[in-house]
Amino acid sequence: MRYIEWLFLLVIGACGTGLANFIGHDVGFLESLPGLVVLVAISMLAVVCIKLIPLKLPIVAYCAIIGLLLACPLSPIRTFVIDAAAKINFTAPFTMVGAYAGLAIGDQLKAFIKQGPKILVVGLLVMTGTFLGSCMWDSLILKLTGAI
């Protein structure tokens, strides 16, 4: 994929994240714009790293490393990066991730259907186990901290 295509997709994702941040968390789009620009810039730097650095790390690892370097105490733009990213509620992008996952499955629907009913059973068990495991973990932590 070319850099322009990556940038285009990242900007679309940022717009969706900004919209979800506005609708779900009452943060104005212009208020969250610097944070969205920072996130897109970090992501684009990670894309460049994937192409230039021979070390085969996933793009998420490069994003995390670049983000940590930009927000570390030695960075001259540390306060801007942290303040800009703080205006983004990071649950807002989950809407976009769910939409992308749905599109990815829709593109391979025939392969998904070939799995038959067993994929539905596995999916239900995974979702139920994840939900129940999260509930038990949360209850344990809340009881240990005295919140409930």
mmCIF file of all heavy atoms in Angstrom, residues 3 44-56 62:
data_model
loop_
_atom_site.group_PDB
_atom_site.id
_atom_site.type_symbol
_atom_site.label_atom_id
_atom_site.label_comp_id
_atom_site.label_asym_id
_atom_site.label_seq_id
_atom_site.Cartn_x
_atom_site.Cartn_y
_atom_site.Cartn_z
ATOM 1 N N TYR A 3 1.961 5.283 0.510
ATOM 2 C CA TYR A 3 1.834 6.211 1.639
ATOM 3 C C TYR A 3 0.575 7.069 1.540
ATOM 4 O O TYR A 3 -0.075 7.335 2.550
ATOM 5 C CB TYR A 3 3.073 7.110 1.728
ATOM 6 C CG TYR A 3 4.337 6.364 2.077
ATOM 7 C CD1 TYR A 3 5.435 6.385 1.236
ATOM 8 C CD2 TYR A 3 4.432 5.634 3.256
ATOM 9 C CE1 TYR A 3 6.590 5.698 1.552
ATOM 10 C CE2 TYR A 3 5.585 4.949 3.585
ATOM 11 C CZ TYR A 3 6.659 4.981 2.729
ATOM 12 O OH TYR A 3 7.800 4.304 3.055
ATOM 13 N N MET A 44 1.474 7.404 10.769
ATOM 14 C CA MET A 44 2.210 7.524 9.508
ATOM 15 C C MET A 44 3.707 7.283 9.716
ATOM 16 O O MET A 44 4.362 6.651 8.872
ATOM 17 C CB MET A 44 1.989 8.902 8.878
ATOM 18 C CG MET A 44 0.705 9.018 8.085
ATOM 19 S SD MET A 44 0.485 7.787 6.798
ATOM 20 C CE MET A 44 1.799 8.168 5.662
ATOM 21 N N LEU A 45 4.247 7.767 10.828
ATOM 22 C CA LEU A 45 5.653 7.483 11.135
ATOM 23 C C LEU A 45 5.877 5.982 11.304
ATOM 24 O O LEU A 45 6.909 5.444 10.886
ATOM 25 C CB LEU A 45 6.088 8.226 12.394
ATOM 26 C CG LEU A 45 6.328 9.722 12.229
ATOM 27 C CD1 LEU A 45 6.539 10.377 13.599
ATOM 28 C CD2 LEU A 45 7.531 9.968 11.339
ATOM 29 N N ALA A 46 4.908 5.303 11.898
ATOM 30 C CA ALA A 46 5.016 3.846 12.057
ATOM 31 C C ALA A 46 4.987 3.155 10.697
ATOM 32 O O ALA A 46 5.723 2.185 10.480
ATOM 33 C CB ALA A 46 3.886 3.331 12.943
ATOM 34 N N VAL A 47 4.155 3.648 9.783
ATOM 35 C CA VAL A 47 4.117 3.077 8.435
ATOM 36 C C VAL A 47 5.472 3.251 7.747
ATOM 37 O O VAL A 47 5.984 2.329 7.104
ATOM 38 C CB VAL A 47 2.986 3.731 7.601
ATOM 39 C CG1 VAL A 47 3.096 3.356 6.134
ATOM 40 C CG2 VAL A 47 1.625 3.331 8.147
ATOM 41 N N VAL A 48 6.076 4.418 7.891
ATOM 42 C CA VAL A 48 7.391 4.667 7.308
ATOM 43 C C VAL A 48 8.431 3.741 7.943
ATOM 44 O O VAL A 48 9.298 3.191 7.247
ATOM 45 C CB VAL A 48 7.781 6.160 7.464
ATOM 46 C CG1 VAL A 48 9.223 6.397 7.064
ATOM 47 C CG2 VAL A 48 6.847 7.039 6.650
ATOM 48 N N CYS A 49 8.345 3.550 9.260
ATOM 49 C CA CYS A 49 9.289 2.651 9.946
ATOM 50 C C CYS A 49 9.173 1.221 9.427
ATOM 51 O O CYS A 49 10.188 0.536 9.262
ATOM 52 C CB CYS A 49 9.045 2.678 11.450
ATOM 53 S SG CYS A 49 9.593 4.194 12.243
ATOM 54 N N ILE A 50 7.950 0.775 9.184
ATOM 55 C CA ILE A 50 7.743 -0.583 8.653
ATOM 56 C C ILE A 50 8.479 -0.744 7.327
ATOM 57 O O ILE A 50 9.061 -1.790 7.047
ATOM 58 C CB ILE A 50 6.225 -0.842 8.459
ATOM 59 C CG1 ILE A 50 5.546 -1.050 9.776
ATOM 60 C CG2 ILE A 50 5.959 -2.001 7.518
ATOM 61 C CD1 ILE A 50 5.561 -2.456 10.279
ATOM 62 N N LYS A 51 8.441 0.302 6.510
ATOM 63 C CA LYS A 51 9.054 0.225 5.181
ATOM 64 C C LYS A 51 10.572 0.383 5.225
ATOM 65 O O LYS A 51 11.279 -0.203 4.411
ATOM 66 C CB LYS A 51 8.467 1.317 4.261
ATOM 67 C CG LYS A 51 6.970 1.319 4.152
ATOM 68 C CD LYS A 51 6.471 0.239 3.257
ATOM 69 C CE LYS A 51 4.956 0.369 3.115
ATOM 70 N NZ LYS A 51 4.366 -0.651 2.360
ATOM 71 N N LEU A 52 11.081 1.174 6.167
ATOM 72 C CA LEU A 52 12.509 1.508 6.161
ATOM 73 C C LEU A 52 13.368 0.669 7.100
ATOM 74 O O LEU A 52 14.521 0.383 6.797
ATOM 75 C CB LEU A 52 12.697 2.987 6.507
ATOM 76 C CG LEU A 52 12.099 3.996 5.527
ATOM 77 C CD1 LEU A 52 12.352 5.414 6.007
ATOM 78 C CD2 LEU A 52 12.662 3.787 4.132
ATOM 79 N N ILE A 53 12.832 0.300 8.246
ATOM 80 C CA ILE A 53 13.617 -0.422 9.247
ATOM 81 C C ILE A 53 13.509 -1.924 8.970
ATOM 82 O O ILE A 53 12.403 -2.457 8.863
ATOM 83 C CB ILE A 53 13.143 -0.083 10.678
ATOM 84 C CG1 ILE A 53 13.328 1.409 10.939
ATOM 85 C CG2 ILE A 53 13.880 -0.924 11.709
ATOM 86 C CD1 ILE A 53 12.772 1.881 12.264
ATOM 87 N N PRO A 54 14.629 -2.610 8.861
ATOM 88 C CA PRO A 54 14.580 -4.034 8.533
ATOM 89 C C PRO A 54 14.049 -4.925 9.668
ATOM 90 O O PRO A 54 13.737 -6.081 9.435
ATOM 91 C CB PRO A 54 16.033 -4.381 8.194
ATOM 92 C CG PRO A 54 16.844 -3.327 8.841
ATOM 93 C CD PRO A 54 15.999 -2.103 8.924
ATOM 94 N N LEU A 55 13.962 -4.393 10.872
ATOM 95 C CA LEU A 55 13.440 -5.163 11.998
ATOM 96 C C LEU A 55 11.948 -5.389 11.788
ATOM 97 O O LEU A 55 11.180 -4.445 11.647
ATOM 98 C CB LEU A 55 13.685 -4.395 13.301
ATOM 99 C CG LEU A 55 13.339 -5.098 14.598
ATOM 100 C CD1 LEU A 55 14.198 -6.337 14.775
ATOM 101 C CD2 LEU A 55 13.550 -4.146 15.765
ATOM 102 N N LYS A 56 11.517 -6.622 11.751
ATOM 103 C CA LYS A 56 10.129 -6.960 11.441
ATOM 104 C C LYS A 56 9.259 -6.937 12.698
ATOM 105 O O LYS A 56 9.016 -7.948 13.328
ATOM 106 C CB LYS A 56 10.040 -8.340 10.777
ATOM 107 C CG LYS A 56 10.757 -8.428 9.464
ATOM 108 C CD LYS A 56 10.135 -7.496 8.445
ATOM 109 C CE LYS A 56 10.862 -7.587 7.126
ATOM 110 N NZ LYS A 56 10.605 -6.472 6.271
ATOM 111 N N TYR A 62 5.523 -0.299 16.463
ATOM 112 C CA TYR A 62 6.144 0.964 16.063
ATOM 113 C C TYR A 62 5.329 2.160 16.549
ATOM 114 O O TYR A 62 5.895 3.164 16.992
ATOM 115 C CB TYR A 62 6.332 1.026 14.548
ATOM 116 C CG TYR A 62 7.501 0.207 14.057
ATOM 117 C CD1 TYR A 62 7.314 -0.916 13.276
ATOM 118 C CD2 TYR A 62 8.800 0.573 14.378
ATOM 119 C CE1 TYR A 62 8.388 -1.663 12.828
ATOM 120 C CE2 TYR A 62 9.883 -0.169 13.935
ATOM 121 C CZ TYR A 62 9.672 -1.291 13.165
ATOM 122 O OH TYR A 62 10.741 -2.023 12.737
#
